[in-house]
Amino acid sequence: MNYHLQLFDQLISNKEEENEEASAIIADIKETAFALRSEQEIRLFIQNHQLALLEHKNFDSVCGKCDKVLHFIETYFHDFVNEKLQISDIGKEKLCNQYSDLINEMKCEMQTCLSEKLYINLQPMTEPENDKPFTIYSARYISQFWENWNSDFKPFLNALEEETVVSYLISQNFNQPTFFKYITSEITGELHQEDDPYIQEHVLLSYAKRFSIIPAKIGDPFRPEYPHIKQSLEEWLNREIKQCRKRQKKYDPEQQTIIPKDGYKIETSISVAQTAYLFKLFSKSGIITNKVQLDILHVLSEKFRSKKAEFITVGSLHNKYYNVEERTKESVKELLKELLNQIE
């Protein structure tokens, strides 16, 4: 099926500037497309024009006019375009302008609250103007990403937290390979702080539970050529858990440095979940300055007990530290209010 760009071909040959060619071609495309008999014919007709227009954009004399027609096709025939092809300059500029205020606002918060490693992974979303090649598919994903952020995520945030941003990216199926590597590297770094394969397994199971309850968006991932992020993480965690269980068969705790279990413990009236969340708040607020979170959990395991639990395992604490239920948050909030009332 031929394309209808003869007027542009003439301009390329004659190098004359005219004002009406783009409008004439748009009218011709509309008339022809609506006369076609099937969706398959329309799709072929539109996608042929996309390819031809992108080739014609290499000529300065018709570049702007081609872009105008491309943007028309993307707008009015959006169900028939080839998403893998480059978006028009007009379409890209409109997208960047539409979300520029929101992106600039969130970039300021992200640079303050997030680690540099995580922030770098977010750059395809925070700096879409630098993304190359910028396809129609990319534009649609980015648009939906910020729409969801604005409607479903931002209203419920008092301040950005790394943990919640990671969960949001997983929920949006942000399957950028560097983001997958970032998550797995963070988990691996935590595992390297602990020699006991049984505790390592608890850590991995805790992450598996946390990721499994994240609701994933229905729709396409950020990178269609890669598996969905939740699937990749699930497969990686399962492999790591299997390796832990193999190491457990050879593990001899007697060969490890034994920390004396005897001694005094602080007994609390609050639950293990409340204790874990309370100390998580201490860490987030900077009251506790340990960089390694497992160090905090080890101390809690060795020096704290509740009335219902004489021994608190690191695995149990890790699970409750990273998978905080809403009722635990509410109960700790009430506990802190009571503590404020004790101050005279």
Side-chain angles (χ1 to χ4, degrees):
M1 187 173 291
N2 295 327
Y3 62 79
H4 294 200
L5 305 180
Q6 290 84 356
L7 290 173
F8 286 167
D9 290 330
Q10 293 171 14
L11 277 180
I12 292 170
S13 300
N14 300 331
K15 296 184 179 180
E16 295 177 356
E17 285 294 331
E18 299 290 344
N19 296 321
E20 301 301 326
E21 288 84 1
S23 297
I25 288 173
I26 286 171
D28 193 21
I29 289 173
K30 287 165 79 172
E31 182 180 354
T32 305
F34 293 140
L36 295 174
R37 293 169 296 177
S38 67
E39 289 189 0
Q40 185 175 359
E41 287 183 346
I42 297 173
R43 183 170 288 105
L44 182 60
F45 177 71
I46 292 300
Q47 293 185 6
N48 279 343
H49 275 76
Q50 277 184 277
L51 288 168
L53 286 161
L54 288 169
E55 289 178 6
H56 279 63
K57 280 186 67 176
N58 292 319
F59 297 92
D60 293 340
S61 58
V62 294
C63 182
K65 294 177 175 62
C66 286
D67 202 66
K68 181 178 178 181
V69 180
L70 267 176
H71 183 247
F72 161 77
I73 287 175
E74 295 158 5
T75 305
Y76 291 95
F77 292 95
H78 54 84
D79 290 336
F80 300 95
V81 295
N82 183 346
E83 290 186 322
K84 296 179 181 179
L85 295 179
Q86 188 173 334
I87 195 172
S88 64
D89 295 336
I90 296 173
K92 181 177 181 180
E93 184 179 1
K94 282 188 174 181
L95 174 74
C96 293
N97 289 339
Q98 181 180 356
Y99 297 103
S100 61
D101 290 343
L102 175 61
I103 290 174
N104 288 333
E105 176 189 349
M106 300 319 301
K107 279 174 72 173
C108 292
E109 289 192 46
M110 289 173 180
Q111 288 172 328
T112 303
C113 302
L114 305 183
S115 68
E116 184 179 358
K117 287 182 182 178
L118 180 55
Y119 180 75
I120 289 172
N121 276 282
L122 276 163
Q123 284 180 338
M125 300 296 107
T126 58
E127 300 176 14
E129 66 278 4
N130 297 329
D131 193 18
K132 294 180 181 180
F134 197 92
T135 63
I136 296 172
Y137 182 96
S138 302
R140 290 177 176 177
Y141 179 92
I142 291 169
S143 176
Q144 193 60 58
F145 178 94
W146 287 113
E147 287 293 328
N148 292 345
W149 179 289
N150 204 31
S151 62
D152 302 335
F153 188 65
K154 182 185 171 187
F156 304 101
L157 277 180
N158 294 323
L160 280 180
E161 297 176 6
E162 194 140 332
E163 189 178 323
T164 51
V165 171
V166 168
S167 295
Y168 178 75
L169 291 172
I170 293 173
S171 77
Q172 298 304 299
N173 209 347
F174 183 71
N175 63 337
Q176 179 87 320
T178 54
F179 178 57
F180 171 78
K181 185 178 179 180
Y182 163 79
I183 295 176
T184 54
S185 296
E186 290 293 302
I187 297 173
T188 302
E190 190 171 345
L191 294 176
H192 287 166
Q193 303 297 324
E194 181 55 61
D195 295 326
D196 188 333
Y198 289 94
I199 293 179
Q200 289 177 339
E201 182 186 357
H202 279 298
V203 170
L204 292 166
L205 289 170
S206 174
Y207 276 106
K209 179 181 178 182
R210 173 187 159 194
F211 295 153
S212 69
I213 61 176
I214 296 173
K217 90 176 180 68
I218 297 172
D220 297 319
F222 175 61
R223 296 284 294 273
E225 68 272 29
Y226 289 100
H228 289 201
I229 186 68
K230 284 188 71 171
Q231 175 190 338
S232 299
L233 289 170
E234 180 182 352
E235 291 173 355
W236 182 84
L237 285 166
N238 286 337
R239 288 195 299 270
E240 292 297 311
I241 289 169
K242 285 182 181 179
Q243 291 300 316
C244 269
R245 289 172 178 168
K246 286 182 181 179
R247 291 195 294 271
Q248 287 169 5
K249 295 176 182 178
K250 301 177 182 179
Y251 177 69
D252 182 4
E254 296 300 324
Q255 294 178 352
Q256 308 301 314
T257 302
I258 300 175
I259 300 174
K261 300 297 180 182
D262 297 331
Y264 297 107
K265 284 191 174 186
I266 296 174
E267 183 177 305
T268 70
S269 60
I270 59 177
S271 68
V272 176
Q274 290 170 323
T275 303
Y277 183 55
L278 191 59
F279 276 81
K280 183 176 184 177
L281 293 176
F282 289 158
S283 179
K284 284 169 56 178
S285 63
I287 296 172
I288 293 177
T289 58
N290 295 64
K291 298 299 183 183
V292 180
Q293 302 301 296
L294 270 177
D295 290 348
I296 301 171
L297 302 184
H298 271 296
V299 172
L300 290 175
S301 173
E302 294 158 11
K303 297 299 180 183
F304 278 73
R305 68 184 178 205
S306 71
K307 288 187 175 180
K308 292 184 178 180
E310 176 71 20
F311 300 102
I312 306 174
T313 66
V314 173
S316 174
L317 283 164
H318 190 280
N319 182 42
K320 292 174 172 58
Y321 194 87
Y322 287 103
N323 298 291
V324 185
E325 296 181 353
E326 286 302 317
R327 60 182 179 181
T328 301
K329 292 181 181 180
E330 290 301 319
S331 63
V332 169
K333 186 183 293 185
E334 292 302 316
L335 174 65
L336 293 174
K337 287 179 182 178
E338 291 178 17
L339 287 174
L340 284 174
N341 292 331
Q342 298 296 321
I343 299 176
E344 296 180 356

